[in-house]
Amino acid sequence: MQTHNYLFKSEMDLQKWIVKNKLKKHENILIQVFTGRVDKHWINDLRKQLLFSLPQAKIIGVTTDGEILSGRVTTGETVISVSVFNKSVPRTFYIPLEENKNSRDLGTSLAKEVIQNSTKLVFAFGDGMHMESSSFLQAFHETAPNVYIAGGNGGDNGQYENVVLFTETGVFDKGVVAAAIDSEDLYLHTHSYTEWKPAGKVFTVTDVSLDGELEIEGRSIYDLYKQYMGKEIADKLPASALEYPLIIKKGKTYHPLSIKSSNPGEPIQFHQKINLGTKIQIGYRDAALSLKSIDFVTKEIQDKPAEAIFLYSCMARRRFLNSTLEEEFLVIDQFVPTVGFFTYGEYFHDGTTLQMLSHALTILAVSESNDATLQKKFDSTIPEQSKEIDDLLALSHLIQSSTKEMEELNDNLLESEQRYKSLFDHNPDMIYSMDLTGFITSVNHALVQSLGFSQEEMLQSHALNFVCEEDHNRVVEHFRLAVHDKPQTFVTSIKKKDGTHILSSITNIPIVVNQQVVGVYGIGKNITWQKKAEEEIEQLAFHDSLTGLPNRGLFEKRLRELVSESDYSRDQLAVMFIDIDHFKIINESLGHHIGDVVLKHVSKQLRQVINSQDLLCRFAGDLFTLVLTSMNKPGDIIDTANRIVEALKVPIYLDGQEYTVSTSIGISVYPNDSTSADVLIKNADTALHKAKEKGRGKREFFTDEMNAFTLERLKLEGFLRKAVQKGELEPYFQPQYCLKTDKVIGFEALVRWNHPELGLVSPMQFIPLAEEIGLIDEIGRFVLMESCKQLKRWHDGGAHHLSISVNVSGRQFQRLSFVYEVKEALETAGVSAEYLHLELTESTMIQNVQYSISIMEELRELGVRLSIDDFGTGYSSLSYLKDFPVDYLKIDQSFIRHLSDDYFNTSDAAIIKAIIMMCEGLSLSTVAEGVETYEQMKLLREYGCHTAQGYIISKPMRACEAEQFLEEYMTSKNSTS
């Protein structure tokens, strides 16, 4: 058997080629024609030319989406392959797809018409635009299971308009042309390869129409591609679905779906049958697998008998990476000349099964001799990869990794959704969700059962429809705050369907997706009876029995709550201490019962001049307290004080006598005077005493202390803003001593501020201020850079083993550029990352656990060592500790301080031992801070602590002093040794 392949140029050149290869003398000739010219007249002329020169030949041909010849890929050309058989006889057929016949009928007809006892192989080219290829092949295989079939559906260069088929007898469409090869000595080997992998989300088929059109999660195929691939790709459907096919998973293999004929804008249908609920993904061609296919294919066929190799490859492979295909085909072409075409679907028989493939490469090796192996001709040299391939390899790896993560996230999300559904549906509390406008989007069974409305009645109703009208404004405000990411808990009365009401405690929780509030959850508890009991208890516990006003306990509780709320809202509060002047005289002269009447009168008058949201209490004796929460401007405080004075001018008549009372008022303001409720109370009390000192009926603000504090703070802030530029900040270094080796192994960098006017300012004073005004980032970068430079100088001086520990503030750590800043400091100083230790506090890491872990892992990848600073003073959560990628744990000095003195605390020692033992289990090193005595150092060494740091070794010192310390230390060590 011999195969001669030719790229058509002209009629004359074709005749010369036939003569040159001496084809006219052979009897059993099969000509396969693959052409990119979709022109019936031209094809018919070519057919006649071939028959004129080779009248004995059998011909089958098809239009294509690209041609393959001798390892090269062409488009719009015509490739002619002439196979000369010595021991085999070819026969050709055209089977039309008749109007009243289906694709199964076509497959059965082909098998019955062409198959004889000696038939081993059938080449078949079909019009896949008008037939369902899978059914066609299945019917053929059922009739002739042992006969190999190879080929595929013809194409028309991606136009999806018309496929032309032809044999030596004529030119056709709508059917299949075939060439049966009858032989007793024909050796066949087939192989297939696909490089498609899934990309992105897993979708579910939610509807399948009678004509096979799919709906995927409520979307058409077009809408799916438009959302996930873009409008440009969607507009090019169905052609673009060849480059980015929909794929389904069968076992461990992904199978692309093969598209039937479809015009742009028309419904897209597939050859494969897709069932409701099928999982589908968008696929891409994996460049890495494509490169591996060269090895795979050559190893599969290099020792097989092959006198001719025919390639049938999906058109999408040509569009994806043309250069890779040519590399692949050129390697195969080393065995024997290769020929084939790019199809709209490939027919593949593996010896036992026949199936319709798509987006694949199929290979048919044919030989009339079992000895015609071509292993010695194989050259394993693969052309050097192009930059295009390198880029696609990287992109394929990115897509594959991202898709794997997305699939894992999808599985986790599915499980989370199921867990959420169980929690939502079976929760005994009333749970519902609302959109951002307050309309109900979901309700659970408990809410439906409690209110008596059906689920349909509640869904898409506004939540306020179920709230008593008098609570509307308050409920709306709580909803508004929840929408602004501030969870709210409040009590309101809810209407039932029967007209009754239930008192409910409602918690509004913002639904946050991608850091945006997209709705609000409501969780309600029926507290009708509970509230009634609580009110009775609260009235007794938190109200004054004489006036009915809240008492001191409730005042202090509510003030703390108001301060806490104002920490978020930044609203001002004013605390007033109101004392009745000369009340002791009234009690002593008129009796306590008259004093009680006066107290009731004062409370009544005070109630009349305050706003409903302000808090009035009887604090003690004749002392009343008032919290102003409804301040729009500072003048509101004075206006309220004036109204109090005027209200108390109203006389009170006792036993026919007219009396008037006056009050002295002391005022403190949040947050100006303090952000602590207790301090606000103290300050207001101090101001009241100053008012009384000035005479009765006076009011006094707590202003002197506020002004002094504010001026001092502003002055310090101004100095600090210029400290870095003026070089007033300087890193100090405190040595860290290894208790195992008795060596100084590093230093901790501590910043100091030496101001020319203020002198040495304590870090406890300026570090919190720097964090508050946003200077901590600049100071942190300065200390990090200077510390790395100093470490480099020590290394250059011979102390190569030294490391440097640098504290990182929470604000600095949360910056997106922090890892880059660390890398920049290391590169600028020329220091190896392993000698840089960054100290993070527990509170810093706990703010956003997942983000913290990701940043810490990036730092660890650089080689930087990490430690948890001040362990034991923050959250100290073991569950987090085991997840954080840290190397060291620093035991806070508060545990070390009394370790060996007169106040020795056995619990401190137990805690230290436990921390050290825990760190050993987690493979963490321990560093003890604040070590000040030899006894402490001795105990720490006995406990197994690795490193000590404190004044017993050295106080923090300048760089020059640290160098001198190192020299003296090294000298003393050398002399000792």
Side-chain angles (χ1 to χ4, degrees), residues 99-150:
E99 292 293 336
N100 59 341
K101 301 291 185 180
N102 58 31
S103 298
R104 285 191 59 83
D105 297 332
L106 184 66
T108 302
S109 298
L110 176 65
K112 289 181 177 180
E113 187 163 342
V114 307
I115 301 303
Q116 297 180 357
N117 291 334
S118 60
T119 303
K120 293 288 185 67
L121 170 66
V122 174
F123 292 98
F125 308 140
D127 178 6
M129 296 186 186
H130 297 95
M131 71 177 187
E132 203 284 291
S133 303
S134 295
S135 299
F136 159 72
L137 293 176
Q138 184 179 2
F140 180 94
H141 189 61
E142 289 171 357
T143 308
N146 297 320
V147 176
Y148 278 76
I149 188 169

Side-chain angles (χ1 to χ4, degrees), residues 729-748:
L729 295 181
E730 179 182 3
Y732 273 48
F733 303 93
Q734 188 173 34
Q736 294 176 327
Y737 186 79
C738 179
L739 296 174
K740 308 287 186 183
T741 62
D742 291 331
K743 291 182 179 180
V744 173
I745 58 173
F747 287 87
E748 178 181 0

Side-chain angles (χ1 to χ4, degrees), residues 689-700:
H689 284 289
K690 289 183 179 179
K692 286 184 173 292
E693 289 174 2
K694 291 184 177 181
R696 306 299 173 171
K698 303 292 183 182
R699 61 171 178 262
E700 184 70 23

Side-chain angles (χ1 to χ4, degrees), residues 525-595:
K525 289 179 178 290
N526 186 343
I527 59 167
T528 305
W529 297 106
Q530 176 187 342
K531 187 64 178 177
K532 193 172 293 184
E534 285 179 355
E535 287 175 353
E536 294 176 358
I537 295 171
E538 184 178 0
Q539 186 66 31
L540 294 172
F542 293 111
H543 288 78
D544 173 47
S545 59
L546 178 65
T547 62
L549 292 175
N551 60 15
R552 176 176 178 173
L554 182 56
F555 170 78
E556 292 177 343
K557 175 177 178 290
R558 284 292 296 131
L559 180 59
R560 290 189 181 93
E561 292 172 355
L562 290 168
V563 167
S564 178
E565 292 171 7
S566 297
D567 286 341
Y568 292 98
S569 65
R570 299 299 180 187
D571 292 335
Q572 276 196 327
L573 300 173
V575 177
M576 287 188 174
F577 268 41
I578 305 167
D579 187 68
I580 302 174
D581 295 333
H582 306 298
F583 183 74
K584 185 178 180 181
I585 296 175
I586 295 174
N587 259 342
E588 292 177 352
S589 60
L590 301 178
H592 287 281
H593 68 285
I594 298 298

Side-chain angles (χ1 to χ4, degrees), residues 245-353:
L246 294 179
I247 61 177
I248 58 176
K249 189 174 184 180
K250 295 181 179 178
K252 295 184 178 180
T253 307
Y254 289 94
H255 298 268
L257 300 182
S258 177
I259 296 178
K260 288 184 181 179
S261 172
S262 174
N263 294 318
E266 294 181 354
I268 297 174
Q269 299 174 358
F270 301 93
H271 286 294
Q272 295 92 334
K273 182 180 179 181
I274 309 300
N275 298 320
L276 195 68
T278 299
K279 301 299 182 182
I280 284 182
Q281 290 177 270
I282 296 174
Y284 73 101
R285 189 176 182 223
D286 188 349
L289 290 179
S290 176
L291 292 178
K292 291 179 182 177
S293 71
I294 299 174
D295 287 338
F296 171 81
V297 170
T298 53
K299 289 176 181 177
E300 285 291 324
I301 66 175
Q302 64 179 329
D303 59 348
K304 304 294 191 301
E307 292 177 305
I309 293 180
F310 299 95
L311 306 174
Y312 306 105
S313 179
C314 174
M315 60 179 290
R317 300 180 85 245
R318 176 180 69 78
R319 283 168 161 75
F320 180 75
L321 193 58
N322 192 58
S323 60
T324 304
L325 288 181
E326 292 203 344
E327 292 174 5
E328 187 175 46
F329 296 156
L330 282 170
V331 173
I332 300 172
D333 198 59
Q334 294 177 95
F335 298 93
V336 290
T338 55
V339 69
F341 73 100
F342 290 94
T343 76
Y344 283 3
E346 302 78 55
Y347 308 159
F348 179 69
H349 196 296
D350 63 1
T352 56
T353 60

